[in-house]
C-alpha cells in the first residue's frame, strides 16, 4: 500500500483547505481503516480523523465541527476538509492505512502504531 498526500499550504486563520491522499496497492473491497494524523513541531503525532470501508467516521474532539473526512472509492482517494483554520492547526498532516481491520475503533486516533502504512505528509501552516 502506498499513500501520497497533497493539498497542504499556507493559509490565513479562518480559511479552508482540502487535503487529499491517493492510496494504491489495496482493493476497496478490503476491510480497512484510513486515518489522518498531524504532527506539530515538538509535539507527538495526533490522530484527527478516520474513516472505514463502511464510511463510518470518527474525529478527535479538538477538530469536531471543523474537519470532515471522506473518501472517493472510485479514485481510492481519501480527503480531509478543514474549515475555519486556526494557528494551532499548523502541522504536517499524514494519511495512514490499516488494511487488517474491519473498521476504525475509538482507539484508531490514539494508536498510530496500529497503522501499517503512512504517506510522506503535507505541510499546513496557518497564520
Amino acid at each position: 500500500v502506498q499513500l501520497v498526500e497533497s493539498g497542504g499550504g499556507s493559509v490565513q486563520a479562518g480559511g479552508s483547505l482540502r487535503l487529499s491522499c491517493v492510496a494504491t496497492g489495496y482493493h476497496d473491497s478490503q476491510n480497512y481503516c484510513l486515518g489522518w494524523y498531524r504532527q506539530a513541531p515538538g509535539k507527538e503525532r495526533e490522530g484527527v480523523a478516520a474513516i472505514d470501508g463502511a464510511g463510518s467516521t470518527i474525529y478527535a474532539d479538538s477538530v469536531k465541527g471543523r474537519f470532515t473526512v471522506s473518501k472517493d472509492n472510485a479514485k481510492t482517494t481519501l480527503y480531509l476538509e478543514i474549515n475555519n483554520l486556526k494557528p494551532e492547526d499548523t502541522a504536517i498532516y499524514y494519511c495512514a492505512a490499516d488494511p487488517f481491520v474491519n473498521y476504525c475503533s475509538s482507539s484508531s486516533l490514539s494508536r498510530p502504531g496500529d497503522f501499517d502504512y503512512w504517506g510522506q505528509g503535507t505541510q499546513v501552516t496557518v497564520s
Side-chain angles (χ1 to χ4, degrees):
V1 177
Q2 292 185 324
L3 305 170
V4 179
E5 304 97 333
S6 62
S10 297
V11 296
Q12 292 188 336
S16 299
L17 280 175
R18 188 174 81 157
L19 308 183
S20 300
C21 173
V22 177
T24 57
Y26 83 101
H27 297 288
D28 190 63
S29 59
Q30 288 181 238
N31 298 318
Y32 56 81
C33 177
L34 297 174
W36 284 100
Y37 274 72
R38 66 184 180 184
Q39 188 164 21
K43 295 188 176 181
E44 293 186 353
R45 196 164 291 195
E46 172 193 23
V48 295
I51 187 169
D52 61 25
S56 298
T57 57
I58 54 173
Y59 295 93
D61 288 342
S62 60
V63 305
K64 282 180 180 177
R66 296 192 301 120
F67 286 29
T68 303
V69 61
S70 62
K71 61 185 177 70
D72 181 331
N73 293 338
K75 297 180 181 179
T76 61
T77 302
L78 179 70
Y79 300 102
L80 184 68
E81 180 132 8
I82 310 174
N83 296 312
N84 190 22
L85 277 156
K86 303 177 180 181
E88 52 263 42
D89 294 321
T90 295
I92 299 174
Y93 284 72
Y94 300 89
C95 65
D98 182 355
F100 304 112
V101 295
N102 293 327
Y103 53 86
C104 299
S105 68
S106 57
S107 65
S108 294
L109 298 183
S110 60
R111 295 175 55 172
D114 286 353
F115 289 86
D116 301 275
Y117 302 98
W118 292 82
Q120 83 289 348
T122 186
Q123 176 72 49
V124 172
T125 303
V126 185
S127 58

